[in-house]
Amino acid sequence: MNFDLLVHEAWPAYEVRAYEGWLLRHSGGVTKRANSVLALERPADLDRAIRAAEDFYRERGQRCVFSVGPGTMQGLDDELEHRGYEVVDPTLIMSGTPKGEPAPEVRIQERPWPGWLETWWAVDGRYADGIAAAERICTGVPAWYAAYEEDGRAVAVGRAVPQGDTLGIYCMATLPEARRRGLARTVLRALVAHAGGGPAYLVVTSRNAGAQALYRGEGFTAVGRYHYRAAPL
């Protein structure tokens, strides 16, 4: 299973330029997944390809970033390190067959509504004016959006993307005041049940030990890692 491509397809950049087996992705700077190079194949001239990527992001006012995962071309990570690119956001890939359990208190829709977006962005947002770009990324592919609501307010949310015979789990977020109540588990199980069960995967930052423990308890195990390499400032 090519997790690099699954993540790319589930979190689609709205501008993608192909370059000799590389995908140069741009989405207004919102999340590194949609604003980084996915280098799957070895180009004819590696130095020229890296310079082309750097030019691509420079033209858009962004720092050049590469996603370095299981499917990345061999030797790229070492080359980027040699050029002074720093490691950013080490991430764990987890996969399994989680439990599904319908929950009537969990609202599930095929598009994100304002309350869902506000809650997710309150937890994962990087800057105030990026929410419109984030919504554009999310809605770039069919997905389900779930929220545990209290008094009409979403306090825990998640997103599930059907991808053939597997399900991608994204945007799991719980407001600080609603944590440690099992709401993330409830949202996750509701999404899995809505999808009809089966295998699933997700990505979680290496430093988020609490989320990893939750996912292990739901049947996920670590199957790989990736990180980003960001150009020197």
Side-chain angles (χ1 to χ4, degrees):
M1 189 177 294
N2 190 326
F3 288 105
D4 297 280
L5 285 178
L6 284 173
V7 172
H8 167 70
E9 292 165 358
W11 197 256
Y14 49 75
E15 180 184 4
V16 180
R17 178 182 296 176
Y19 184 95
E20 294 190 17
W22 290 11
L23 298 175
L24 315 182
R25 304 173 293 184
H26 174 251
S27 297
V30 175
T31 77
K32 294 182 186 65
R33 288 180 205 146
N35 293 273
S36 59
V37 182
L38 185 59
L40 299 174
E41 300 177 17
R42 176 171 290 279
D45 186 323
L46 180 57
D47 177 69
R48 184 177 62 190
I50 292 174
R51 284 189 280 110
E54 292 172 341
D55 289 344
F56 175 85
Y57 290 101
R58 186 180 301 111
E59 290 166 3
R60 288 154 182 78
Q62 287 185 216
R63 190 180 184 186
C64 184
V65 176
F66 284 79
S67 177
V68 182
T72 302
M73 57 155 281
Q74 189 173 2
L76 178 63
D77 199 33
D78 291 339
E79 177 62 27
L80 294 174
E81 182 178 24
H82 177 73
R83 291 169 181 253
Y85 278 65
E86 65 175 310
V87 172
V88 182
D89 293 343
T91 299
L92 199 63
I93 303 167
M94 304 184 76
S95 180
T97 305
K99 308 164 187 174
E101 186 175 305
E105 64 273 31
V106 174
R107 174 181 175 184
I108 299 178
Q109 295 188 180
E110 293 184 355
R111 292 189 65 86
W113 60 98
W116 186 98
L117 284 165
E118 289 166 9
T119 296
W120 173 58
W121 198 248
V123 177
D124 280 347
R126 300 297 185 268
Y127 46 88
D129 60 352
I131 192 168
E135 181 179 10
R136 186 175 175 185
I137 294 168
C138 282
T139 56
V141 292
W144 296 301
Y145 299 83
Y148 186 100
E149 296 181 314
E150 291 181 337
D151 298 323
R153 183 191 186 203
V155 296
V157 300
R159 171 179 179 258
V161 183
Q163 295 178 271
D165 60 357
T166 193
L167 187 72
I169 303 295
Y170 289 85
C171 301
M172 294 292 295
T174 304
L175 294 176
E177 62 270 26
R179 291 173 185 168
R180 297 180 176 83
R181 292 168 48 195
L183 301 185
R185 179 178 289 106
T186 299
V187 168
L188 174 61
R189 290 184 177 185
L191 281 169
V192 171
H194 187 77
Y201 76 94
L202 52 83
V203 296
V204 56
T205 57
S206 297
R207 66 177 181 274
N208 195 341
Q212 291 172 37
L214 164 68
Y215 300 139
R216 283 195 295 271
E218 293 301 301
F220 290 89
T221 58
V223 294
R225 296 177 181 272
Y226 69 87
H227 59 266
Y228 297 95
R229 285 278 185 182
L233 292 171

